[in-house]
Amino acid sequence: MLDQIKGLHHVTSMAKDARNNNQFFTKKLGLRRVKQTVNFDEPSVYHLYYGDEKGTPGSVMTYFPFPNIARGQFGAGEVGTTAFSVPENTLDVWSEHLTKNGVSGLSRGATFGQKRLDFTGPEGDSFSLVETRDDVRAPWTTETVSDAFAIRGFHSASLRLRDAGATEELLKFMGYEEVDKHGGISRLGLPNGNGADFIDIEALPEVGFGRLGAGSVHHIAFAVENRAKQLEVRKALMDTGYQVTPVIDRDYFWAIYFRTPGGVLFEIATNEPGFDRDEDTKHLGEALKLPMQHEHLRPYLEQHLQPLESA
């Protein structure tokens, strides 16, 4: 069993409209845009990152906004709901705040004894706020989202799978332990993680596979401290039979990827070097940052990428 993984690092999803995406996460959820760059494989498209003040691993939601993308079709073989941690007794405030800001799909419930508020994003994305006791992570705050109820980071991500068994075994190999089972959902947790410690698995054997599009999660990333730990994880996964990519430099972290038995794309990402490698912390996300190989495209991109703020 591995001990290098420290919880979630980031969750990356697909969108259609970059400006709406930016407004939703910065204005409505109160997260900080910590980086605006481009998709390394398709530089005509943004890669936007939202999180806490520094983009701490375990707090970062990222998006590829493809202007002509179709809406995703939800199903098995993908991440279902991405859940954020908020302080106890704040869901009433959040419900009022989200309703005021036109967020749809609000519903209250509880999972494994924790109260939650489910809602949908602008592309039909599935999100939840989960009341969490003693989450000491420092939040990013805004004029409308105060420290008293602001998001602390990720709480969990849920996986919708036709067959949960092999993916559960993989997560246990990655250091997760079974926490509880209820209503067809299994919760696995990572002891001594970074706060973003839970994965919920829902077995849906009769459901068809999802189709990637706007509102779909592209991949889910798990955090390791550094490149040495990442190489240890890569070797262990390959020794177990997984096909793992070489290490890829993503400027703000190094990444490896592999496909899980249930169909979800997993990434293992390093905590180093971080989002302040090319910007002062006070100004994260303000300027368009380009990877070296795409810097020559800057004049074109600055003319053609959708402005993130309204004129």
Side-chain angles (χ1 to χ4, degrees), residues 13-17 20-21 24-25 61 63 70-75 78-82 103-105 118-128 160 213-217:
S13 294
M14 314 289 284
K16 184 178 180 66
D17 188 283
N20 287 346
N21 184 260
F24 180 78
F25 284 96
M61 191 80 205
Y63 271 84
R71 179 68 65 92
Q73 179 176 311
F74 301 144
E78 64 179 2
V79 174
T81 299
T82 303
V103 176
S104 62
D118 297 325
F119 59 99
T120 56
E123 317 282 359
D125 331 40
S126 181
F127 294 113
S128 185
R160 294 189 291 236
S216 302
V217 172

Side-chain angles (χ1 to χ4, degrees), residues 11 16 67 80 94 129 139 165 178 185 219 232 247 260 270 291-292 310:
V11 176
K16 184 178 180 66
W94 270 110
L129 301 174
E178 186 175 295
I185 300 174
H219 64 267
E232 293 172 5
V247 176
T260 66
T270 61
M292 185 184 307
S310 300

Side-chain angles (χ1 to χ4, degrees), residues 86-91 93-94 139-142 145-152:
V86 296
E88 287 189 310
N89 303 313
T90 61
L91 291 188
V93 177
W94 270 110
W140 178 252
T141 60
T142 70
V145 179
S146 71
D147 177 86
F149 69 101
I151 288 170
R152 267 49 183 174

Side-chain angles (χ1 to χ4, degrees), residues 131-146:
E131 289 190 349
T132 308
R133 180 178 299 173
D134 300 327
D135 189 337
V136 298
R137 291 177 290 174
W140 178 252
T141 60
T142 70
E143 291 182 358
T144 57
V145 179
S146 71

Side-chain angles (χ1 to χ4, degrees), residues 41-284:
D41 302 314
E42 179 47 79
S44 65
V45 172
Y46 276 118
H47 193 174
L48 302 175
Y49 294 79
Y50 311 97
D52 65 9
E53 180 184 14
K54 297 180 179 180
T56 306
S59 76
V60 183
M61 191 80 205
T62 98
Y63 271 84
F64 301 134
F66 284 85
N68 298 315
I69 195 172
R71 179 68 65 92
Q73 179 176 311
F74 301 144
E78 64 179 2
V79 174
T81 299
T82 303
F84 298 97
S85 171
V86 296
E88 287 189 310
N89 303 313
T90 61
L91 291 188
D92 287 342
V93 177
W94 270 110
S95 183
E96 180 180 353
H97 171 78
L98 294 178
T99 299
K100 180 180 178 181
N101 282 277
V103 176
S104 62
L106 274 68
S107 65
R108 299 281 283 268
T111 306
F112 300 109
Q114 291 182 301
K115 296 178 182 178
R116 60 189 292 144
L117 174 65
D118 297 325
F119 59 99
T120 56
E123 317 282 359
D125 331 40
S126 181
F127 294 113
S128 185
L129 301 174
V130 180
E131 289 190 349
T132 308
R133 180 178 299 173
D134 300 327
D135 189 337
V136 298
R137 291 177 290 174
W140 178 252
T141 60
T142 70
E143 291 182 358
T144 57
V145 179
S146 71
D147 177 86
F149 69 101
I151 288 170
R152 267 49 183 174
F154 290 127
H155 171 274
S156 58
S158 68
L159 310 181
R160 294 189 291 236
L161 308 176
R162 295 190 73 174
D163 183 357
T167 300
E168 284 193 34
E169 290 304 312
L170 167 62
L171 286 165
K172 290 175 182 178
F173 179 71
M174 291 168 59
Y176 283 78
E177 299 176 357
E178 186 175 295
V179 174
D180 203 352
K181 286 188 176 182
H182 179 71
I185 300 174
S186 298
R187 170 160 290 179
L188 290 89
L190 191 69
N192 304 312
N194 60 12
D197 299 334
F198 298 107
I199 300 291
D200 292 343
I201 298 181
E202 185 175 8
L204 300 168
E206 305 300 324
V207 173
F209 286 100
R211 185 183 66 213
L212 189 66
S216 302
V217 172
H218 184 272
H219 64 267
I220 181 173
F222 298 84
V224 292
E225 292 177 2
N226 52 46
R227 297 182 71 185
K229 299 293 186 183
Q230 183 184 62
L231 290 175
E232 293 172 5
V233 173
R234 183 174 187 270
K235 181 179 186 303
L237 289 168
M238 294 182 71
D239 288 347
T240 309
Y242 287 95
Q243 301 296 313
V244 187
T245 68
V247 176
I248 302 172
D249 183 356
R250 296 302 194 195
D251 281 3
Y252 311 107
F253 48 87
W254 283 272
I256 57 175
Y257 303 85
F258 65 102
R259 187 72 61 176
T260 66
V264 181
L265 183 62
F266 276 12
E267 174 184 347
I268 309 297
T270 61
N271 290 349
E272 59 178 6
F275 293 100
D276 59 356
R277 68 175 295 273
D278 58 359
E279 287 181 296
D280 183 271
T281 301
K282 292 182 180 180
H283 300 287
L284 288 180

